[in-house]
Amino acid sequence: MSNANPISTQTLRRLPTYYDYLKSLPAEVKNISATSIARELRLNDVQVRKDLALVSGGGKPKVGYVVEHLIDDIGRYLRYDYVDRAVLAGAGNMGHALMCYEGFARYGLDIVTAFDNNAGVIGTYINGKRVLPIEEMGSICSKQDIKIGIITVPAAAAQDVCNIMVQSGIKAIWNFAAVKLNTPKGVIVQNEDLVASLAVLSRHLKQGGDEA
Amino acid sequence: MSNANPISTQTLRRLPTYYDYLKSLPAEVKNISATSIARELRLNDVQVRKDLALVSGGGKPKVGYVVEHLIDDIGRYLRYDYVDRAVLAGAGNMGHALMCYEGFARYGLDIVTAFDNNAGVIGTYINGKRVLPIEEMGSICSKQDIKIGIITVPAAAAQDVCNIMVQSGIKAIWNFAAVKLNTPKGVIVQNEDLVASLAVLSRHLKQGGDEA
């Protein structure tokens, strides 16, 4: 048995939604119940109650949570107070997009450098950050103690880049390439396959057309 | 019973990976087996065999598939020959990124217009496409028969935008906002919650730290 709260990936994925909702409330709202949050976000209220109880001890019967404290508790759990530094490999369109997405800063992510192996891109700047040759990833990651790697290279190159990241000490990989990555134990991979999502959407339209 | 092949979302999400892999093969490779594809993509070969059999009748014992035909069969199933037009709501960073992501064209998606309600953004151009006031969505969608809507507005505004899309005749919504959307029957929602993925990655690092 561990002292740490056991928390499911699904709960973890819902926490930023609670956080954003609470942050969006007007300053006049001092207290809020799990039931209200559930109603507003169209989630099951038992689930919301359980999720919040895992990260905050501040919920009181009738009164609910103090909004400010609950924001702090969730933010601390999600480490929004702590900036995670990340490197990105593949300075193409998607890489460029992520480097320029200011939204991540709010959630404690700072993409410090992009790497590429294209001589035409190396040395250029994206959102004020220099693109470096991929050979320098190891030294940058170890010097700056970077543990998150973002892969936005084509699928065929993704496993090679993943291996370089693992050798560079990366422990959490955010994979935007449409390929399953092999990683050693202790390294987590989160897949974000936009093209796969597109296939689901497009196919739904085709099926709708079949029925019509 | 329906004549249409029953196909799972998971199979559908794997098809673009097969497609990309087959397209990346050198021209000399004329035939390929499901086993080879599975090995290369690190997938289960029984699964690959089943997936391909759902979209192509061209597999032969010993010989496998004719690469060119299999590409055609998967591409046709995923409607890559047909361009799906989409509208996007929310011309902020993520919206901008998706408008500029050339990769979608390869997979038959054309984001024709971005909508926003910010007067400072309306009338500007992103990647050659004009940003329009959100009030014009209905007429644009009906004139151009657009069925896919992409939501990149803040979470608090997403349901309102979703409602406008549904009223505009959108049948498939790609939601990048961190909120669960309510839609009527017949409208599919595909959620792409990047901030939720980030929470999972960041928390993994924290837990790694706890164990150390």
Side-chain angles (χ1 to χ4, degrees):
Chain A
M1 299 297 278
S2 159
N3 284 326
N5 286 328
I7 193 158
S8 72
T9 300
Q10 286 316 308
T11 294
L12 203 43
R13 291 184 68 94
R14 281 188 295 268
L15 291 176
T17 309
Y18 303 142
Y19 182 86
D20 284 344
Y21 170 65
L22 294 167
K23 292 278 268 189
S24 76
L25 291 172
E28 292 75 40
V29 182
K30 301 293 183 198
N31 291 281
I32 195 161
S33 66
T35 311
S36 299
I37 296 174
R39 194 174 46 230
E40 193 59 35
L41 297 173
R42 289 173 292 280
L43 295 170
N44 178 291
D45 77 326
V46 175
Q47 188 179 64
V48 173
R49 204 176 308 278
K50 278 188 188 169
D51 287 348
L52 296 180
L54 284 168
V55 297
S56 177
K60 294 209 180 101
K62 311 278 179 194
V63 186
Y65 288 89
V66 176
V67 173
E68 200 184 329
H69 297 171
L70 188 52
I71 290 172
D72 286 349
D73 287 343
I74 299 174
R76 202 174 308 116
Y77 194 88
L78 291 172
R79 308 211 311 163
Y80 288 164
D81 50 327
Y82 178 91
V83 175
D84 283 310
R85 286 184 303 275
V87 291
L88 178 145
N93 282 301
M94 184 50 68
H96 205 101
L98 296 177
M99 295 288 292
C100 293
Y101 184 45
E102 311 287 345
F104 291 144
R106 285 188 54 209
Y107 303 99
L109 183 76
D110 180 21
I111 308 176
V112 296
T113 319
F115 295 93
D116 210 294
N117 60 4
N118 176 348
V121 175
I122 292 167
T124 63
Y125 286 81
I126 302 176
N127 201 15
K129 280 135 185 194
R130 193 142 171 253
V131 181
L132 300 175
I134 204 150
E135 292 74 24
E136 294 185 26
M137 190 188 287
S139 70
I140 297 277
C141 288
S142 89
K143 255 186 246 165
Q144 302 196 34
D145 193 31
I146 294 171
K147 300 294 180 205
I148 296 185
I150 304 172
I151 297 182
T152 48
V153 298
Q159 184 64 52
D160 286 347
V161 164
C162 171
N163 295 345
I164 295 172
M165 285 186 171
V166 170
Q167 284 157 25
S168 302
I170 293 294
K171 296 294 178 201
I173 291 176
W174 202 358
N175 176 35
F176 286 78
V179 69
K180 200 175 162 189
L181 297 173
N182 265 340
T183 52
K185 200 169 168 294
V187 177
I188 193 178
V189 176
Q190 187 73 32
N191 291 304
E192 215 70 52
D193 191 347
L194 301 185
V195 169
S197 297
L198 192 52
V200 175
L201 290 170
S202 177
R203 185 66 202 168
H204 170 75
L205 295 182
K206 176 64 168 57
Q207 287 173 326
D210 286 346
E211 288 160 19
Chain B
M1 299 296 280
S2 160
N3 284 326
N5 286 328
I7 192 158
S8 73
T9 299
Q10 286 316 306
T11 294
L12 203 43
R13 291 184 68 94
R14 281 189 295 269
L15 290 177
T17 309
Y18 303 142
Y19 182 86
D20 284 344
Y21 170 65
L22 294 167
K23 292 277 268 189
S24 76
L25 291 172
E28 292 75 39
V29 182
K30 302 291 182 199
N31 291 281
I32 195 161
S33 66
T35 311
S36 298
I37 297 174
R39 193 174 48 230
E40 193 60 34
L41 296 173
R42 289 172 293 278
L43 295 169
N44 178 290
D45 75 327
V46 175
Q47 189 178 65
V48 173
R49 204 176 309 278
K50 278 189 188 170
D51 288 348
L52 297 181
L54 284 168
V55 297
S56 177
K60 295 208 177 100
K62 308 282 182 193
V63 186
Y65 287 89
V66 176
V67 172
E68 201 184 326
H69 298 172
L70 187 53
I71 290 173
D72 285 349
D73 288 343
I74 299 175
R76 201 174 308 118
Y77 194 89
L78 291 172
R79 309 209 312 163
Y80 287 165
D81 49 327
Y82 178 92
V83 176
D84 283 309
R85 287 184 301 275
V87 291
L88 179 145
N93 282 301
M94 183 51 67
H96 204 101
L98 296 177
M99 295 288 291
C100 294
Y101 183 44
E102 311 287 345
F104 290 145
R106 285 188 55 208
Y107 303 100
L109 183 75
D110 180 21
I111 308 176
V112 295
T113 319
F115 295 92
D116 210 293
N117 60 4
N118 176 348
V121 175
I122 292 167
T124 62
Y125 286 80
I126 303 176
N127 201 15
K129 280 133 184 195
R130 192 142 171 254
V131 180
L132 299 176
I134 204 149
E135 292 74 25
E136 295 186 25
M137 189 187 288
S139 68
I140 297 277
C141 288
S142 86
K143 255 186 247 167
Q144 301 196 36
D145 192 31
I146 294 172
K147 300 293 180 205
I148 296 184
I150 304 172
I151 296 182
T152 48
V153 299
Q159 184 63 53
D160 286 347
V161 165
C162 171
N163 296 345
I164 295 172
M165 285 186 170
V166 170
Q167 285 157 24
S168 303
I170 293 294
K171 297 293 178 201
I173 292 176
W174 202 357
N175 177 35
F176 285 78
V179 68
K180 200 176 163 188
L181 298 173
N182 266 339
T183 52
K185 200 169 168 294
V187 177
I188 193 179
V189 177
Q190 187 74 33
N191 292 303
E192 215 72 50
D193 190 347
L194 300 184
V195 169
S197 296
L198 192 53
V200 175
L201 290 169
S202 177
R203 185 66 201 169
H204 169 75
L205 295 182
K206 176 65 166 58
Q207 287 173 326
D210 285 347
E211 288 158 20

